[in-house]
Structures are given as structure tokens and as C-alpha cells.
């Protein structure tokens, strides 16, 4: 999405009234890019489209200026109603340089082609221009409609004839159409223009107007991002969250030589999409055909490629951000250090100091942190300076106080000492405007300290993921309650609840569901209304009492995965009330292992983070084992004196092994014979929470 400008070069420092560009894919937007003039913008957009096409992706590029004029304008200007003839005319006649352009003179020349006075107005120059009135009220008899049909429908949209003043868009049109004409010629048949042509090319350029959703853009505006930058960020992210059917419906309008505004008839959809996260596709769990026993790596790759964030954004204070996922990149509000300063207590002077004894007269006063020295230090003199204090003019080097002999009037020390010794340069750690953290980062206490150091007080994060925890089965009872023969205590619910909290999410206890399909459906419906994702345990296979699988199958969204792993195997995945459901095995050991291997990375993506493999280590085995080929095995294990020990029993009924262990040993799918001292892969439990 492109926020255009009709003005001159805006300089190297990002400005509010300038060109801003933002790209998004799959509902996640990059940081907005500042482009100081139209030549740089056109080059950036061309390079971006080329890169996307080389990667095999289609491109929808939106520009926030009108693509056409009211009916009849082209006939007067070019002798044709073809909108592309208008584009080519402007491309041939506009003179554009970073420090100036001829848009006002050109508008006056065009007005001379029309009867009466106008239609263009708003001379923004000090000198008068023939045929170009300064006020719209001075126009008369030109014969053109004041607005296109799109502006009549879009409440608050300004007409294309106004060239200067508040709300003027006419200059952007005149200075934007030449760039569009060149893009069209450059990409040829690979590019189509909406709504002038059928949308059958891999590159489509469309007209946008962010003010269609001005209220929600304003409601999400961060304090440290210009409005123009934020609105292309929001619009790019929003359009990339639409389903293919939604976007197709939005583009499905009659060919219109005046042009139109994308989303003009779909404002409510755009608004809802801004405020809410993108929906997951109901087929995202469906594995390819012919995968009866699915290898672990194939299942993980499939999940990674099909999941996306499901929670919306919010702006919060820095001190509340630990453990949250960034929804937008964070830039340094100031440099760190903000000024050159002393790294030690000592005496500052202009270096270097040559070999031998140095004697420097002392300047009266000192520089301390928070109380910098206000004057200059003459060459050949020194100043008392403390750690963290700004270096005053004339000082670039500091000698440690332990290395000097000082009196009230002078300091003595032995050289040599390099220029810049014991001093920190301004911005040597972080520079103002530098991106210091990227979208998807899970914020750590160290991150908060870094952001605080460069003045970041608020940031855009994902709302905390709400994870519903549900156990199923008539045999289950709450720990501590009375119990009869044939009943067992529910170990999974407190275990999975604690896992979700440990991973940084908001766990929602959905209780226990009986083996009653209707009641289970009611509980799932209630849970889907309260949660973003649901983790269930039990009923994940295909037996008579596996009601979870049956319900998801009846909803048309069941993907029953038979994973080639031990412990584990059955995973029932699907949707209930458009919320993803992970149906884990009922066995506590299998439930915890499957939650760590599959749910942990998946939940991270749903929460707004990046897919992340758990950190593992190669350690010597302290056991022997012979393993058959055909499936991945995870052994409960812990490290003792640098050696990996495994739990005495591999039986999935031995839940005590989960408490005994501090991690898992992962044995690959092939056959293996392990002897003491052989290297094995150890994954600490803590790695799944990273």
C-alpha cells in the first residue's frame, strides 16, 4: 500500500507528509518504509514487485490517489475516453525533479483547453498562473462534474480538481499517474489495472482511500508513528488478511473508466478485519492424500505452512509488555548512548596522548551524569569527568583516575593513550530510528530494558492468546474429590493448564466433558466463545467413545492425524465455532509430549510469534537401547553429570516419569542402536516455552 505525495523531496529524516509504503503477507505487515521523493518511491516499488514475482507471489499494489477523472475529461485532453490515454499524456508532459515540478503550470495549460474557467484550481505558488484560479469559487462554465461517482459515494472524499490547501488530492493525481503509466509499460501483460481491466494478471494495481476506515485507523494509531505511515500499515495488513473469496468479491465491479476506490462497498468487512485477527482456513489441518502414518517432520512442516496469527493488536505501556508478542517493529526513539560519554571515572582531554609523562592543566569544574559541563575544554587541557557523563566539546579521550596524579590545577599520567580511549561514541549501541526488534518477537525482560534505554514508552503487541483446556471422558474426576472403582483423577487438565501459562498464554479452564456428544458440543461452543484456541485431551482417536473426533468430523473440519511417533500417535485437529481445536491423546504422557511437540510451536504462531523449533543439545547417552525403524521416539530424560539418563520405563502409563524428567531425548525415525557414550539429542522442557 502506498501513501503518495505531490510535493517536493522531503529530506532524509522521515516526515509525516511524505511517501510511505507498507507491504504485508498473510496478515502480517512489514514496517512502513519512508521514501523521500517520487523517483525513489517508483524505484522501490519496481524492485519490490520484481522480487515478489521472482519468489512466485502475486502482488496487489494500492495507491491513495484517483486513477481517473470525471467523465468527459479525457475527451477534451486527449480526444479519447481511454483512461490510459490520460495516464500517458501526463507521463509525457509532467516535469518532475526532487526540488520542484510543473504541476501548477500544467494544470493552467489544461484549464485553457476547457470553456469558461477551470476545472483545476488551487495555485499553490506565489506567482500567478494563467487560467489557474487560486480559489474554487472563481471557476465557472468549464463543463466538468465536480466529483467522480466514487467521491460522491465516499463521504468526505475531496474532488480531483483541488491542487493545494487542506485535503487537496489533485496534485497527487497529476504527479502519480506518470508513475503508474511507467509501471504499466514496464510490466506489460503481467500487470492489470482495477477497475479499468479484467483482473487476470499476476500484478494488480488498485486505487485506495484509507479514510474509508478512518475511525479504526485512528483508534489504533501508535504515538510514535506518523499517520500516513500507520494508515498504509493498517490497510496493507487488513487487505492481506482477507480470504481469496472476500478479496475477489471486493474486486468484482464493472469496468469503470472514471476509476473507483477499492472496498467502497465493503467498509464493514474492512473494519471488522482491522479490529479482529484473520480467520484460519478450515482446511489448514488437512494433510495431503496418502499420508496414513505421518512422520513428525512432515506434520510439523504442514502446520508451519498453514497457521497464522488469530489474535488482534493493542497498544500497551512498556512495563506491561513482558512475555507479549510484538505486532509491529520497534524503532529507537533516541540514540544509545544519546551523546558521547565517559566509560570510566577520570579526566577527559583531546587525544591521543603520546608516549611519556603527560602534564595537562585542569579546567575548573567537572562533567557528571545528568550534569554535563557546559563549556569547552581548550586543547592541551583536561577536565574532571565521571562515568556516564557527556563529553564536552574539546574532549574525546578519558584517562582513568587510578592512572593519574592530580592536584587542584593539573593532572599527570604516563602515555601513550589512544584517541577515544575509555569513551563511548554517540549511538554506538543503537541509533535513532533504528529497528531494534522485529514483529513476532516474544518480549523478554532484557528487551524491555533495551527499549527503555532508547525512550520507547508504548508499543504495539498482540493480545494475549486465550487457550481453553478441556478434558473428556466419563471416567475422569477432579483431583481431591471422591472416586469410585473404574474412575481416575484428571491429570491432563492441570498439566496442560500449567503448560499454557508457562508458555505465556491466558489459560481458560473449560472443565471436564462427559462421553455425551451433545453436552461436549455445548461445552465446545461455550469455549469457542471465550477462547482463541482449545486444547482437549481424550477422544482423539476413532473408537466408539471418541466423541471429540466424531464432533469435529460432523462439523466438516476434522483432520485425524496418525503420527508416526511414540508416545502419541492420534491427533484430532479441527475447528469449532471457527476456533482451532487440538485434540490430544488421553494418556497424560502422550498428551504432554504431543502438546510440546505440536501445540507449542503452533500456539506461538497463533499468538503472533514466529514458528520456532525447540533448542536441543547433543549429549552422551548414559543408557543402552535398540530402536526399530518407522517412527520418532521421545524418551523422558534428564541430565546427570553431563550424561543423558532416561526414565526406567518407556510405558506411556508411567506419569511419574514426566515429573522425574527435565526434558526429552528425541530418537529419529530410522533404526538405531544406542550404547553408553553415543551422542543423543536432548530437548529441555524449558525450550518449548522459549
Amino acid at each position: 500500500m502506498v501513501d503518495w505525495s505531490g510535493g517536493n523531496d522531503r529530506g532524509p529524516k522521515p516526515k509525516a507528509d511524505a511517501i510511505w509504503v507498507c507491504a504485508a503477507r498473510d496478515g502480517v505487515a512489514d514496517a512502513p518504509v519512508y521514501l523521500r521523493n517520487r523517483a525513489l518511491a517508483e524505484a522501490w516499488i519496481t524492485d519490490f514487485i520484481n522480487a515478489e514475482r521472482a519468489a512466485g507471489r502475486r502482488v496487489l499494489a494500492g495507491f491513495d490517489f484517483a486513477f481517473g477523472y470525471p467523465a468527459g475529461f479525457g475527451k477534451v485532453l486527449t480526444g479519447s475516453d481511454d483512461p490510459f490515454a490520460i495516464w500517458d499524456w501526463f507521463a509525457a508532459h509532467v516535469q518532475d525533479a526532487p526540488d520542484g515540478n510543473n504541476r501548477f503550470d500544467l494544470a493552467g495549460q489544461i484549464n485553457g483547453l476547457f470553456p469558461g474557467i477551470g476545472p483545476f484550481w488551487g495555485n499553490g505558488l506565489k506567482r500567478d498562473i494563467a487560467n489557474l484560479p487560486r480559489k474554487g469559487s472563481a471557476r465557472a462554465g468549464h463543463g466538468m462534474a465536480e466529483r467522480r461517482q466514487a467521491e460522491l459515494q465516499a463521504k468526505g472524499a475531496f474532488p480531483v480538481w483541488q491542487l493545494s490547501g487542506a485535503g487537496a488530492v489533485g496534485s497527487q493525481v497529476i504527479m502519480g499517474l506518470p508513475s503508474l503509466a511507467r509501471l504499466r509499460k514496464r510490466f506489460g501483460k503481467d500487470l492489470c489495472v482495477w477497475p479499468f481491466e479484467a483482473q487476470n494478471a499476476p500484478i494488480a494495481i488498485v486505487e485506495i482511500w484509507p479514510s474509508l476506515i478512518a475511525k479504526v485507523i485512528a483508534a489504533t494509531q501508535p504515538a510514535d508513528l506518523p499517520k500516513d505511515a500507520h494508515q498504509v500499515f493498517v490497510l496493507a495488513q487488513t487487505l492481506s488478511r482477507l480470504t481469496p473469496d472476500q478479496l475477489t468479491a471486493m474486486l468484482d465491479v464493472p469496468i469503470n473508466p472514471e476509476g473507483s476506490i477499492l472496498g467502497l462497498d465493503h467498509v464493514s468487512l474492512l473494519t471488522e478485519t482491522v479490529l479482529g485477527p484473520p480467520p484460519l482456513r478450515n482446511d489448514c489441518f488437512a494433510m495431503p492424500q496418502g499420508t496414513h502414518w505421518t512422520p513428525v517432520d512432515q506434520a510439523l512442516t504442514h502446520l508451519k505452512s498453514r497457521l497464522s496469527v488469530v489474535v488482534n493488536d493493542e497498544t500497551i505501556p512498556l512495563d506491561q509488555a513482558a512475555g507479549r508478542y510484538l505486532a509491529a517493529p520497534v524503532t529507537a526513539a533516541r540514540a544509545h548512548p544519546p551523546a558521547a560519554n565517559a566509560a570510566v571515572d577520570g579526566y577527559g582531554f583531546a587525544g591521543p596522548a603520546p608516549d611519556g609523562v603527560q602534564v595537562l592543566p585542569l579546567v575548573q569544574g567537572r562533567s557528571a551524569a545528568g550534569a554535563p559541563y557546559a563549556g569547552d575544554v581548550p586543547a592541551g587541557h583536561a577536565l574532571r569527568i565521571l562515568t556516564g557523563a557527556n563529553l564536552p566539546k574539546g574532549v574525546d579521550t578519558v584517562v582513568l583516575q587510578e592512572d593519574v596524579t592530580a592536584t587542584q590545577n593539573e593532572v599527570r599520567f604516563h602515555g601513550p593513550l589512544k584517541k577515544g580511549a575509555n569513551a563511548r561514541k554517540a549511538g554506538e549501541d543503537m541509533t535513532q530510528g533504528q529497528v531494534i526488534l522485529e514483529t513476532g518477537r516474544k518480549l523478554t525482560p532484557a528487551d524491555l530494558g533495551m527499549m527503555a534505554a532508547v525512550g520507547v514508552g508504548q508499543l504495539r503487541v498482540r493480545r494475549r492468546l486465550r487457550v481453553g483446556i478441556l478434558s473428556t471422558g466419563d471416567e475422569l474426576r477432579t483431583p481431591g474429590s471422591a472416586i469410585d472403582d473404574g474412575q481416575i483423577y484428571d491429570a491432563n487438565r492441570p498439566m496442560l493448564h500449567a503448560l499454557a501459562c508457562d508458555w505465556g498464554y491466558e489459560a481458560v479452564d473449560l472443565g471436564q466433558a462427559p462421553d455425551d456428544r451433545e453436552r461436549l458440543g455445548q461445552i465446545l461452543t461455550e469455549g469457542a466463545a471465550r477462547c482463541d484456541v482449545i486444547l482437549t485431551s481424550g477422544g482423539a482417536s476413532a473408537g466408539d467413545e471418541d466423541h471429540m473426533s466424531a464432533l469435529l468430523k460432523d462439523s466438516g473440519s476434522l483432520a485425524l492425524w496418525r503420527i508416526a511417533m511414540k508416545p502419541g500417535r492420534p491427533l484430532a485437529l479441527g475447528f469449532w465455532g471457527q476456533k482451532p481445536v487440538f485434540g490430544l491423546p488421553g494418556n497424560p504422557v502422550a498428551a504432554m509430549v504431543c502438546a510440546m511437540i505440536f501445540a507449542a510451536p503452533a500456539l506461538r504462531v497463533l499468538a503472533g510469534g514466529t514458528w520456532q523449533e525447540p533448542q536441543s543439545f547433543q549429549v552422551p547417552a548414559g543408557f543402552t537401547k535398540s530402536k526399530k525403524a518407522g517412527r520418532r521416539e521421545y524418551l523422558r530424560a534428564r541430565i546427570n553429570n553431563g550424561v543423558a539418563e532416561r526414565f526406567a520405563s518407556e510405558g506411556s502409563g508411567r506419569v511419574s516419569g514426566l515429573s522425574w524428567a527435565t526434558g526429552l531425548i528425541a530418537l529419529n525415525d530410522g533404526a538405531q542402536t544406542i550404547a553408553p557414550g553415543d551422542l543423543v539429542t536432548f530437548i529441555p522442557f524449558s525450550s518449548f516455552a522459549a
Side-chain angles (χ1 to χ4, degrees):
M1 297 293 109
V2 184
D3 182 278
W4 200 251
S5 173
N8 298 336
D9 188 290
R10 303 296 292 167
K13 187 176 181 180
K15 303 289 196 308
D17 184 19
I19 299 175
W20 288 89
V21 182
C22 186
R25 305 170 190 83
D26 296 323
V28 179
D30 296 339
V33 176
Y34 166 74
L35 297 164
R36 59 189 291 179
N37 61 53
R38 285 176 292 278
L40 291 176
E42 189 175 324
W44 189 97
I45 293 165
T46 300
D47 290 344
F48 174 83
I49 293 175
N50 280 327
E52 293 299 293
R53 293 298 301 133
R57 290 188 283 267
R58 303 179 70 189
V59 179
L60 178 77
F63 296 80
D64 75 331
F65 56 81
F67 284 11
Y69 287 89
F73 176 78
K75 197 77 171 179
V76 175
L77 184 68
T78 68
S80 168
D81 288 325
D82 181 1
F84 297 127
I86 299 175
W87 289 21
D88 293 339
W89 190 95
F90 277 111
H93 290 83
V94 167
Q95 299 170 10
D96 192 6
D99 58 351
N101 59 75
N102 68 336
R103 68 184 188 275
F104 295 112
D105 292 292
L106 200 59
Q109 294 174 28
I110 297 172
N111 277 354
L113 301 175
F114 287 82
I117 303 173
F120 288 107
W121 68 276
N123 178 8
L125 303 180
K126 292 182 179 180
R127 62 180 173 85
D128 290 336
I129 296 176
N131 299 320
L132 183 63
R134 294 188 182 276
K135 295 183 178 181
S137 58
R139 299 172 300 156
H142 53 72
M144 285 286 98
E146 186 65 6
R147 286 174 167 82
R148 301 180 300 160
Q149 288 300 313
E151 275 99 41
L152 292 174
Q153 185 178 346
K155 186 177 179 180
F158 281 75
V160 293
W161 309 121
Q162 184 179 345
L163 302 179
S164 64
V169 296
S171 288
Q172 294 184 31
V173 179
I174 292 176
M175 303 310 299
L177 293 183
S179 290
L180 296 188
R182 288 188 288 269
L183 288 173
R184 185 167 176 266
K185 291 185 183 302
R186 183 173 290 116
F187 291 103
K189 294 181 179 179
D190 284 344
L191 183 146
C192 59
V193 180
W194 178 90
F196 301 155
E197 299 174 302
Q199 303 301 294
N200 53 8
I203 307 163
I205 59 177
V206 302
E207 178 184 336
I208 59 171
W209 188 48
S211 292
L212 278 179
I213 52 173
K215 290 184 179 180
V216 289
I217 288 176
T220 59
Q221 174 72 50
D224 58 347
L225 193 65
K227 176 184 175 182
D228 292 349
H230 179 59
Q231 63 186 15
V232 290
F233 175 87
V234 170
L235 203 53
Q237 181 169 265
T238 300
L239 290 173
S240 75
R241 287 177 170 182
L242 297 177
T243 67
D245 288 344
Q246 288 171 331
L247 189 56
T248 298
M250 198 171 288
L251 292 167
D252 187 16
V253 300
I255 289 177
N256 183 352
E258 279 193 347
S260 189
I261 299 168
L262 185 68
L264 198 53
D265 296 318
H266 301 82
V267 175
S268 60
L269 173 60
L270 291 174
T271 300
E272 292 167 1
T273 307
V274 173
L275 296 176
L280 290 176
R281 313 301 194 250
N282 272 359
D283 66 346
C284 73
F285 292 137
M287 292 292 289
Q289 294 295 317
T291 54
H292 181 65
W293 287 105
T294 305
V296 171
D297 288 341
Q298 182 181 348
L300 290 172
T301 298
H302 181 81
L303 271 181
K304 181 180 179 180
S305 68
R306 305 300 286 276
L307 295 177
S308 60
V309 60
V310 297
V311 290
N312 55 13
D313 309 346
E314 60 182 345
T315 299
I316 62 172
L318 176 70
D319 60 4
Q320 298 177 15
R324 302 291 285 273
Y325 291 98
L326 279 178
V330 175
T331 58
R334 70 182 302 197
H336 187 262
N341 66 82
V344 298
D345 291 342
Y347 295 86
F349 60 97
D355 197 7
V357 176
Q358 308 298 312
V359 180
L360 299 178
L362 267 179
V363 174
Q364 294 304 306
R366 70 172 192 171
S367 186
Y373 182 71
D376 297 349
V377 176
H381 289 65
L383 173 75
R384 175 65 168 153
I385 193 165
L386 304 181
T387 302
N390 288 358
L391 301 183
K393 190 174 181 180
V395 172
D396 57 25
T397 305
V398 180
V399 58
L400 277 74
Q401 65 180 20
E402 294 87 351
D403 293 340
V404 307
T405 300
T407 67
Q408 289 184 344
N409 300 315
E410 66 178 22
V411 293
R412 295 171 176 263
F413 61 91
H414 286 278
L417 198 63
K418 293 181 180 179
K419 180 177 180 179
N422 302 313
R424 307 183 184 104
K425 296 179 181 179
E428 69 176 20
D429 184 15
M430 293 171 279
T431 59
Q432 184 179 21
Q434 175 186 343
V435 176
I436 57 175
L437 291 173
E438 296 285 356
T439 299
R441 169 85 172 191
K442 186 177 183 181
L443 295 172
T444 67
D447 293 336
L448 268 59
M450 178 178 69
M451 290 186 287
V454 291
V456 176
Q458 289 189 320
L459 57 161
R460 198 76 185 158
V461 298
R462 302 290 185 185
R463 181 179 52 75
R464 201 177 294 277
L465 187 75
R466 291 188 294 261
V467 181
I469 309 296
L470 174 66
S471 292
T472 67
D474 284 339
E475 74 279 13
L476 298 178
R477 291 294 180 270
T478 300
S481 65
I483 197 166
D484 294 330
D485 289 343
Q487 297 174 338
I488 60 173
Y489 288 121
D490 182 4
N492 287 345
R493 192 156 47 97
M495 177 180 69
L496 296 174
H497 190 284
L499 269 182
C501 292
D502 186 48
W503 293 342
Y505 310 125
E506 180 184 338
V508 180
D509 188 354
L510 300 181
Q512 296 164 346
D515 289 326
D516 180 298
R517 202 161 299 183
E518 182 177 354
R519 179 58 187 142
L520 176 58
Q522 293 173 350
I523 294 174
L524 285 175
T525 298
E526 294 167 1
R530 300 170 57 194
C531 306
D532 303 305
V533 59
I534 299 175
L535 296 186
T536 74
S537 60
S541 192
D544 293 342
E545 295 299 324
D546 290 319
H547 298 291
M548 181 60 64
S549 298
L551 275 176
L552 295 177
K553 182 179 180 180
D554 290 343
S555 73
S557 67
L558 173 69
L560 186 60
W561 290 9
R562 293 175 173 84
I563 309 296
M565 65 179 286
K566 176 185 176 183
R569 294 192 181 180
L571 276 179
L573 304 171
F575 287 84
W576 194 268
Q578 296 186 329
K579 300 296 176 67
V581 178
F582 284 72
L584 303 172
N587 179 283
V589 176
M592 182 166 175
V593 172
C594 284
M596 289 187 290
I597 300 302
F598 295 104
L603 294 180
R604 186 182 178 93
V605 175
L606 297 176
T610 55
W611 183 277
Q612 185 167 297
E613 304 290 342
Q615 188 175 27
S616 61
F617 305 90
Q618 294 295 300
V619 295
F623 59 90
T624 59
K625 178 176 173 60
S626 179
K627 175 190 171 297
K628 296 180 180 179
R631 63 181 178 179
R632 178 80 48 87
E633 292 191 18
Y634 294 96
L635 311 179
R636 286 151 283 173
R638 66 185 182 189
I639 304 299
N640 185 16
N641 294 324
V643 173
E645 298 178 340
R646 66 168 179 169
F647 187 57
S649 171
E650 293 182 22
S652 56
R654 299 286 293 273
V655 70
S656 63
L658 293 174
S659 175
W660 175 89
T662 60
L664 300 173
I665 289 173
L667 303 180
N668 62 33
D669 301 356
Q672 285 183 269
T673 300
I674 299 170
D678 291 346
L679 292 180
V680 292
T681 300
F682 178 77
I683 311 173
F685 287 151
S686 58
S687 292
F688 297 101

